[in-house]
Amino acid sequence: MDAVGAPDALAGGAAGHERLAELIPLALGTLAAGGTERDGAAPAGGPAAVAAALSGARPLVPAEGVGAERALAELGTLFAAGSVDPAEPWCAAHLHCPPLAVAVAADVVAGALNPSMDSWDQAPVATELEREFVTEMARLCYPDEPAPDAVVTTGGTESNLLGLLLARERNPAVRPVCGASAHHSVARAAWLLGLPAPVVVDCDDQRIRPAALETALGTALDGAPAVVVATAGTTDTGEIDPLPEVARICRRHNARLHVDAAYGGLALCSPSLRSRLDGLGEADSIALDLHKFGWQPISAGLFVSRVASDLDALTVRAEYLNSEDDTEAGLPDVLGRSLRTSRRPDVFRMAVTMRALGVRGMGAMVEQCCRTAAEVAGLIDADPGLTLWGSPKLSTVLFRPAVADDITVPAANALVARIRRTLLEAGTAVVGRATIGGRIWLKLTFLHPHATAADYSGLLGEILAVARAEMTPPAARAASAEGAVTS
Ligand SMILES: *Cc1c(COP(=O)(O)O)cnc(C)c1O
């Protein structure tokens, strides 16, 4: 038996927590040291600087190990310094949330015990916890249904795949249909499942146009079986498809409806935002991501099914994991709860978090992000130097420097793209981009639950300053730089 403290000590067992008690403070120290070194939202210097920084810890696969303390200290600090930190308000490009401390702490417990969710004998309480948690979350989505159910996924991509898969299991000839602003994973799922490429329905302002959906189902598909994928919170703009109309049209044409609510779904937790998702309960299935609104470490997805029995399509038998006699003897059969086999207990941190905050606490955080988005949109709208794309429906704001309106589309697009890269390379901010109708916009996705609009006025100023510098001819830029040196 190795002494506690040896590099190969275990995380579990009677002494595991003692070794963790030594290593976790060290790990936390690297977060602090690396964060101080980075000093902001992103590492400065871009890909070259980040790659160069790694040279201090090579080789990563040495013949003789350096020991746990040294490896953790070196790589932990490098990792923290070279990461973008979504807990910095100016890290706001993507649906990339800052995880809650309670969720990360819960993950330590789950990691130490390492339950695998593919059989009850590897995860007794975790499977029970998962069953209860997903049932409660399914009821949140489908309060009026007698028996909704859900399974844990890696996120929207896997959930959308399941949405199409279950539709195909009901009818192998099913044709996918989605809006032009649907997530790319929908087309990918169709490809992976051997289904035809989705019929893409026109959008107005990034939302499915009901008349276009009517035509697609009625005329283009001419009564062929269909599964419609609508979106509640598009990735580019946070728009929500008109779900009640979409559901009505699907019913009329006997089409299945899957709603990709990976982004917007947790707005269900907010009494003031919930009505934006009206119609969601009419979907046959829903994708939810708790690693967006939900503030979980990746990954934390749910695929929610209106009717529990639809999930029976995932049933699979493997003698060593869920033999018939074990199941008959009362051991829960959990293998059919996922497409995966070995599977992390992501549900543990989700359950700890939801129990800690409650639906109300979660809803308040979603509201705060949406409020910040609305207020920042107001700041942008009031600034003559900036053009706002439109009022945010969730927590995404698109805008660009007003000067982009005065130059050609290619020049404007190049300018906006350069502004984003300049801020990223400097380590100042991580700002996103979205292309709408051939025009590139800057995108801020607000997922920081404590930030307020005041935290972003400086960023808008930085963006304007970069835009001005980019619009200055190089000769003038050089002259002004010289001026700055001599003055
Ligand atoms: C994030 C997102 C996805 C992809 O989800 P992953 O969790 O990254 O797999 C799909 N659809 C929408 C609308 C999303 O916002």
Side-chain angles (χ1 to χ4, degrees), residues 78-133:
L78 277 174
F79 200 75
S83 290
V84 303
D85 186 356
E88 293 285 341
W90 289 12
C91 181
H94 301 284
L95 287 157
H96 174 204
C97 77
L100 290 168
V102 64
V104 174
D107 231 10
V108 174
V109 176
L113 292 163
N114 205 25
S116 184
M117 307 300 288
D118 45 329
S119 64
W120 190 88
D121 62 0
Q122 298 176 85
V125 75
T127 61
E128 190 61 20
L129 195 81
E130 180 173 281
R131 198 184 57 74
E132 293 202 16
F133 179 78

Side-chain angles (χ1 to χ4, degrees), residues 95 154-158 160 183 185 231-235 260-263 289 291-292:
L95 287 157
T154 54
T157 302
E158 187 186 346
N160 290 340
H183 192 260
S185 60
T231 309
T234 60
T235 312
D260 178 358
Y263 175 11
D289 271 0
H291 57 236
K292 291 169 182 171

Side-chain angles (χ1 to χ4, degrees), residues 316-318 321-334:
V316 60
R317 191 63 76 179
L321 292 171
N322 60 351
S323 69
E324 255 172 63
D325 57 296
D326 271 353
T327 307
E328 267 161 33
L331 290 187
D333 170 8
V334 294

Side-chain angles (χ1 to χ4, degrees), residues 14-346:
H17 65 278
E18 291 175 24
R19 182 59 172 147
L20 283 176
E22 292 170 357
L23 292 181
I24 285 179
L26 189 62
L28 298 181
T30 67
L31 282 178
T36 305
E37 207 175 297
R38 171 180 8 94
D39 189 27
V50 169
L54 268 183
S55 63
R58 290 202 182 104
L60 293 176
V61 189
E64 299 292 336
V66 301
E69 273 82 359
R70 188 174 150 198
L72 190 56
E74 285 174 351
L75 285 173
T77 306
L78 277 174
F79 200 75
S83 290
V84 303
D85 186 356
E88 293 285 341
W90 289 12
C91 181
H94 301 284
L95 287 157
H96 174 204
C97 77
L100 290 168
V102 64
V104 174
D107 231 10
V108 174
V109 176
L113 292 163
N114 205 25
S116 184
M117 307 300 288
D118 45 329
S119 64
W120 190 88
D121 62 0
Q122 298 176 85
V125 75
T127 61
E128 190 61 20
L129 195 81
E130 180 173 281
R131 198 184 57 74
E132 293 202 16
F133 179 78
V134 299
T135 303
E136 290 185 41
M137 289 300 291
R139 288 205 193 104
L140 189 69
C141 296
Y142 291 111
D144 302 326
E145 293 293 329
D149 198 0
V151 294
V152 174
T153 66
T154 54
T157 302
E158 187 186 346
S159 297
N160 290 340
L161 176 70
L162 286 176
L164 295 197
L165 173 65
L166 297 196
R168 191 198 65 181
E169 287 304 291
R170 291 173 75 88
N171 193 328
V174 75
R175 298 282 310 267
V177 176
C178 65
S181 54
H183 192 260
H184 65 85
S185 60
V186 175
R188 231 168 185 238
W191 165 73
L192 195 57
L193 293 166
L195 295 171
V199 173
V200 176
V201 173
D202 278 350
C203 288
D204 277 338
D205 293 333
Q206 305 297 300
R207 305 166 80 227
I208 285 180
R209 191 148 52 80
L213 179 61
E214 181 72 54
T215 307
L217 293 180
T219 313
L221 292 185
D222 194 22
V227 52
V228 174
V229 179
T231 309
T234 60
T235 312
D236 275 347
T237 63
E239 293 295 318
I240 300 169
D241 283 330
L243 301 178
E245 285 106 311
V246 167
R248 211 171 302 129
I249 294 166
C250 287
R251 250 199 324 275
R252 190 153 60 235
H253 292 277
N254 210 13
R256 256 180 96 81
L257 174 59
H258 170 73
V259 176
D260 178 358
Y263 175 11
L266 268 276
L268 280 175
C269 296
S270 156
S272 63
L273 298 172
R274 189 182 300 148
S275 62
R276 299 186 191 181
L277 300 176
D278 280 352
L280 187 67
E282 304 197 41
D284 294 290
S285 57
I286 301 170
L288 288 186
D289 271 0
L290 276 74
H291 57 236
K292 291 169 182 171
F293 288 147
W295 294 279
Q296 296 297 297
I298 297 160
S299 61
L302 294 175
F303 173 78
V304 192
S305 178
R306 183 154 59 91
V307 180
S309 59
D310 281 3
L311 294 168
D312 292 349
L314 299 177
T315 299
V316 60
R317 191 63 76 179
E319 180 62 16
Y320 74 110
L321 292 171
N322 60 351
S323 69
E324 255 172 63
D325 57 296
D326 271 353
T327 307
E328 267 161 33
L331 290 187
D333 170 8
V334 294
L335 188 59
R337 306 289 301 175
S338 178
L339 292 172
R340 288 173 280 162
T341 305
S342 300
R343 183 158 68 81
R344 291 163 51 90
D346 296 325

